[in-house]
Amino acid sequence: MSRALLLTVLACGVATALPTAAAERPRPAAVRPVADDAAPVLVSPAAWAEMAASRGRYPMFDAEVARVEAEVRAGMAAGVDVPQPRDLGGGATHERHKANYKLIAGAGALYRITGDRAYADFARDLLLAYADLYPTLGLHPAGRSPVKGRLFWQALNDSVWLVYSAQGYDAIRDTLSPEHRRRIDDDVFRRMARFLSEDNADYFDRIHNHATWATAGVGMTGYVLRDSALVERALKGTDRSGTGGFLRQIDLLFSPDGYYAEGPYYQRYALAPFVIFARAIQQNEPERGIFRYRDGVLLKAVDGLLQATYGGLIVPVNDALLEKGIRSEEIVTGVAVAYAQTEDPRLLSIAAAQGRTLLSPDGLAIARGVSEGAGRDFEFRSLRLRDGPDGDMGALVFLRRGGANGQMLVMKNTQQGQGHGHFDRLNWLFYDGGHPVIRDYGAARFINVEAKDGGGYLDENETWAKQTVAHNTLVVNGASHFAGDWRVGEEHGTTPLLFETEGATQIASGRTSDAYPGVTLTRTLVLLEHPDLGFPIVVDLLRADATRPGLYDLPLYFNGQIVTQGFEARHAPEARPVLGDRAGYQHLWVDAQSEAGAEPRSLTWLLDGRFYTYRFVASAPTRALLVESGANDPNFNLRREQALIRRMEGQAEAAFVGVLEPHGAYDPTAETVSGSTSRIRAVELIEGDGADVIVITLASGRIVALGIAREITAEARHRVVRGGQAFEWTGAWARLDRETR
């Protein structure tokens, strides 16, 4: 059974309609509770009845019922299996207990939707088996998690089990005999809630996604068991003071714009318990106004997460797996819950792209809206998502042009991102034509692949993926930002500077003076359009201002096949040297490197029928190195990814300029090529007193010029002169284009 089943039921409500064949069968009698005081509270009986009555009317909902029914029927045929825990993630017992909580959730939903008592009985039998097992368990025997679970190797998975199983139990609880209900209440749900919130009180009170799952599970258990003390503990922490708990997590983990502290990938994961428990709170205590809390920050979080996707995949910031996208069950859940609260028709287009919905009132609303054609295209737009509880710890910036699969420039000016954060302040990524062009490695992990270190994060996540040299930002003296200590990084935000998105020049900039002692890094990125260019181009200016000379390395991880190497370099086809011995350098092979030079250089590559030319200059001579990841990797844990590194030595002040130009087309089927030659003839950096000008000479002879001040002052006047050319402007930046020199 896929994990999607779980979230299918998870959105605190379940409803459904079977496919046409199932709808034509005689319908069972309406569900009749054995105990009215145990009636469902996570989804109202009326909402269940509405879902049952909708069968056969909405294809998306019918398909979800059929999918869940097939999975639960397969589980019923296999029989109850509740093994003694022994394995890490991906192992047999781990996967069995994970499948079981999905079966409990799915069977409970199907009982309410179909009225078939066999589903309720199956969920009951599974839970009674857990009532036999759980009281006998100590801490899980495997793994090295600092907070072990009992069913699973880490308490996080126990919390997830509780969130899902509580929903299934709520759906069938009123069908049980008093004795069965008492056993399951006391020996499963109360014991697990006590284990998570009392035995592991520090874990429960953390401000972290693990604790979000724990508070959601304990709080939902409280509603199901009619235990207000458990609910208050979940909402306000173990001492009920509000210094911990679910509400405090909303306060501290989200910015006012809905950006999540650990980045979009973990925002995807944490979104599920946030919206699932919020939906339960709304159902049981609407007076709390949970979806209005902090100006509706949970609903903003759904929109912000969708904005942080390209081509349906999540932007890989921090510990991210590249394959996760909008079809993950957590985002399916978030979209359904957000739509039920807002009726925003743009969300229906996302749901249609996801191709599925939930067995819940929210999922029913989605299916109805899609069936009735009420959707509108989701607007992917340029925006800045502030970071930090007060929005003052930096920002994640998106500059877009050309719609969902056009150009997207991402600038990471955020805070550290807790223990999942990478040392990559002022990093950037670029997407075009449906692909990542300048990309990020993400996490070194094969999730739940037991053969790869139990499915957890690999050692190379620390030695490579998190290190600064693995990203598209500046490394100083061969060391990572904050000396590779995330706790130090967590103390410092990034300062946003410019953010303007009107017209043909979209610009963003940020600064950090904390990544290295005595070094200030300032970066400005521009998505720029001109009639003589086929596509928008990216202009990048990075300045380092230090108190003493140092070694500067600026990597660029590009995606594609090199076509033209626009600089002379020595290659190493036989003895492949390694770039260094620490801070990620030990994982880079050097394939070619140039001598230090001041002349403009370029590199052109081909990606899926489009050419990309990267031109680069600097304020002092630099070397150009072509490198590839994978060195010192005896277990083949790393992907092979290529990069260009620009190296400058012996300077205190440095400026690096890069211009990335998409151009042309290549059709390998028709064997046709057009526009393979860059439309840019030259790039020049002119440094002035307190300001810089980047001059781009086009093949047409026209000049694109961009003036950028080093300090952001609206009234300041700037004049930069070289060789008889004078560039003058007032303010932080200006387009200074000319017809010719």
Side-chain angles (χ1 to χ4, degrees):
M1 185 174 201
S2 70
R3 212 180 141 214
L5 164 60
L6 161 66
L7 279 150
T8 282
V9 177
L10 187 69
C12 261
V14 179
T16 187
L18 293 173
T20 303
E24 291 173 351
R25 296 188 307 223
R27 297 192 181 184
V31 170
R32 296 185 182 276
V34 171
D36 289 337
D37 64 345
V41 294
L42 300 182
V43 177
S44 71
W48 282 118
E50 181 183 7
M51 288 184 278
S54 73
R55 295 170 65 188
R57 297 174 59 188
Y58 306 117
M60 183 180 283
F61 198 74
D62 292 347
E64 189 67 8
V65 173
R67 185 186 65 79
V68 175
E69 189 168 45
E71 292 181 348
V72 174
R73 284 288 178 184
M76 293 168 69
V80 171
D81 181 10
V82 179
Q84 186 76 20
R86 64 173 183 272
D87 299 312
L88 293 170
T93 61
H94 177 99
E95 292 303 307
R96 183 68 263 156
H97 290 299
K98 185 168 69 172
N100 282 347
Y101 66 64
K102 298 172 188 177
L103 288 170
I104 292 166
L110 290 172
Y111 165 64
R112 285 288 161 184
I113 290 165
T114 69
D116 188 340
R117 181 60 183 259
Y119 293 125
D121 291 346
F122 178 58
R124 175 203 64 202
D125 292 345
L126 275 170
L127 288 166
L128 287 172
Y130 278 102
D132 291 335
L133 174 69
Y134 195 79
T136 71
L137 298 178
L139 295 180
H140 194 280
R144 54 183 182 270
S145 173
V147 184
K148 287 192 172 187
R150 289 183 172 173
L151 291 174
F152 299 93
W153 70 281
Q154 57 178 351
L156 168 64
N157 301 91
D158 286 52
S159 300
V160 176
W161 191 99
L162 189 59
V163 168
Y164 291 152
S165 297
Q167 294 175 78
Y169 184 42
D170 182 59
I172 69 157
R173 190 166 178 263
D174 63 357
T175 71
L176 303 180
S177 69
E179 174 58 21
H180 284 165
R181 191 161 60 249
R182 184 201 62 76
R183 286 188 59 205
I184 295 170
D185 284 359
D186 294 347
D187 289 340
V188 180
F189 288 93
R190 287 194 187 279
R191 282 180 182 270
M192 187 171 283
R194 183 166 58 248
F195 169 71
L196 292 171
S197 65
E198 295 182 33
D199 298 353
N200 290 287
D202 291 342
Y203 167 83
F204 190 79
D205 287 333
R206 290 176 66 192
I207 306 301
H208 190 269
N209 76 76
H210 287 211
T212 305
W213 281 101
T215 57
V218 170
M220 292 169 70
T221 296
Y223 284 129
V224 173
L225 302 186
R226 278 69 167 172
D227 187 334
S228 60
L230 279 181
V231 174
E232 285 300 301
R233 185 185 302 167
L235 290 172
K236 298 180 180 178
T238 54
D239 64 2
R240 300 174 178 82
S241 69
T243 57
F246 186 74
L247 296 176
R248 193 60 174 159
Q249 290 175 19
I250 297 176
D251 290 339
L252 297 181
L253 287 174
F254 289 104
S255 79
D257 297 335
Y259 180 80
Y260 182 72
E262 294 178 285
Y265 178 84
Y266 270 90
Q267 182 162 341
R268 177 271 320 166
Y269 184 62
L271 187 66
F274 274 116
V275 300
I276 291 164
F277 188 29
R279 178 66 173 79
I281 296 167
Q282 180 74 8
Q283 177 71 34
N284 288 274
E285 299 182 83
E287 65 276 9
R288 288 187 183 272
I290 189 65
F291 286 110
R292 298 191 302 275
Y293 189 75
R294 287 193 67 202
D295 193 30
V297 72
L298 291 181
L299 298 176
K300 291 180 181 179
V302 176
D303 179 78
L305 179 54
L306 294 174
Q307 294 291 347
T309 65
Y310 183 89
L313 297 177
I314 300 169
V315 171
V317 171
N318 295 340
D319 278 348
L321 299 182
L322 306 184
E323 301 83 7
K324 287 288 187 181
I326 62 170
R327 290 181 174 84
S328 70
E329 62 266 30
E330 299 92 347
I331 299 182
V332 171
T333 300
V335 167
V337 172
Y339 178 75
Q341 295 297 318
T342 65
E343 295 185 344
D344 182 346
R346 301 174 310 145
L347 294 173
L348 294 175
S349 66
I350 299 294
Q354 290 168 331
R356 58 163 298 233
T357 188
L358 305 175
L359 297 184
S360 72
D362 313 284
L364 180 61
I366 285 280
R368 182 185 297 117
V370 170
S371 182
E372 294 173 352
R376 294 207 325 260
D377 288 342
F378 189 84
E379 179 190 0
F380 291 99
R381 61 192 186 277
S382 296
L383 80 162
R384 176 168 62 179
L385 293 174
R386 292 173 294 167
D387 194 4
D390 298 317
D392 58 357
M393 295 295 286
L396 186 66
V397 176
F398 305 101
L399 304 180
R400 288 185 180 262
R401 185 67 78 204
N405 289 318
Q407 292 76 37
M408 182 172 77
L409 173 60
V410 182
M411 189 174 189
K412 190 193 175 196
N413 300 337
T414 60
Q415 60 180 324
Q416 182 66 26
Q418 300 187 351
H420 288 297
H422 289 189
F423 302 103
D424 61 344
R425 300 294 170 96
L426 308 183
N427 185 22
W428 71 287
L429 303 87
F430 181 66
Y431 297 80
D432 179 50
H435 301 282
V437 178
I438 305 301
R439 59 188 180 184
D440 193 90
Y441 190 90
R445 183 184 188 186
F446 293 76
I447 190 167
N448 280 351
V449 178
E450 192 176 19
K452 285 290 190 182
D453 200 25
Y457 287 101
L458 299 164
D459 291 342
E460 288 79 6
N461 202 55
E462 300 295 327
T463 63
W464 165 251
K466 287 186 176 184
Q467 301 294 329
T468 304
V469 77
H471 302 281
N472 306 302
T473 192
L474 195 69
V475 188
V476 179
N477 295 326
S480 285
H481 297 174
F482 307 106
D485 188 335
W486 73 264
R487 290 174 178 83
V488 175
E490 193 72 6
E491 297 173 0
H492 303 284
T494 305
T495 303
L497 300 173
L498 292 168
F499 176 70
E500 299 182 32
T501 61
E502 297 298 321
T505 309
Q506 300 188 61
I507 186 168
S509 62
R511 175 175 294 156
T512 178
S513 300
D514 305 304
Y516 298 102
V519 182
T520 296
L521 305 179
T522 306
R523 192 168 211 166
T524 302
L525 284 159
V526 182
L527 190 61
L528 182 151
E529 298 172 79
H530 188 280
D532 290 359
L533 296 169
F535 301 95
I537 63 173
V538 177
V539 180
D540 174 26
L541 170 63
L542 191 153
R543 293 199 61 90
D545 297 286
T547 55
R548 63 185 64 183
L551 169 68
Y552 297 129
D553 286 330
L554 182 58
L556 183 82
Y557 288 86
F558 60 93
N559 185 19
Q561 177 68 45
I562 293 175
V563 175
T564 303
Q565 177 188 309
F567 53 90
E568 295 293 327
R570 301 186 310 277
H571 289 255
E574 297 179 1
R576 204 179 191 193
V578 176
L579 188 56
D581 60 5
R582 64 188 181 95
Y585 283 72
Q586 73 273 24
H587 293 300
L588 287 172
W589 280 306
V590 179
D591 289 323
Q593 58 181 309
S594 74
E595 298 296 333
E599 70 279 9
R601 297 168 178 175
S602 67
L603 187 71
T604 298
W605 63 89
L606 177 64
L607 174 64
D608 193 37
R610 187 167 293 174
F611 297 92
Y612 296 89
T613 294
Y614 181 71
R615 296 180 180 274
F616 51 100
V617 295
S619 58
T622 61
R623 296 179 183 271
L625 295 83
L626 291 172
V627 302
E628 185 180 49
S629 60
N632 290 303
D633 179 25
N635 296 319
F636 301 97
N637 289 335
L638 294 177
R639 295 191 306 274
R640 304 296 188 256
E641 296 198 353
Q642 58 192 342
L644 166 71
I645 294 180
R646 301 156 64 187
R647 169 168 284 186
M648 184 186 295
E649 301 180 67
Q651 303 295 317
E653 296 184 0
F656 295 86
V657 171
V659 176
L660 177 63
E661 177 199 4
H663 58 92
Y666 169 59
D667 184 340
T669 301
E671 300 181 4
T672 59
V673 180
S674 63
S676 61
T677 302
S678 168
R679 297 188 184 187
I680 294 175
R681 184 184 301 162
V683 173
E684 182 182 7
L685 168 66
I686 305 175
E687 295 185 283
D689 183 12
D692 303 296
V693 176
I694 300 168
V695 179
I696 304 170
T697 303
L698 304 183
S700 65
R702 291 180 170 178
I703 302 297
V704 175
L706 189 65
I708 301 172
R710 296 176 195 167
E711 298 298 330
I712 308 303
T713 306
E715 299 79 17
R717 300 182 65 181
H718 304 282
R719 177 180 171 86
V720 177
V721 180
R722 177 186 281 182
Q725 296 183 83
F727 298 91
E728 299 180 89
W729 75 95
T730 300
W733 70 278
R735 277 285 291 269
L736 306 167
D737 296 5
R738 300 178 178 183
E739 285 299 312
T740 62
R741 286 182 178 271

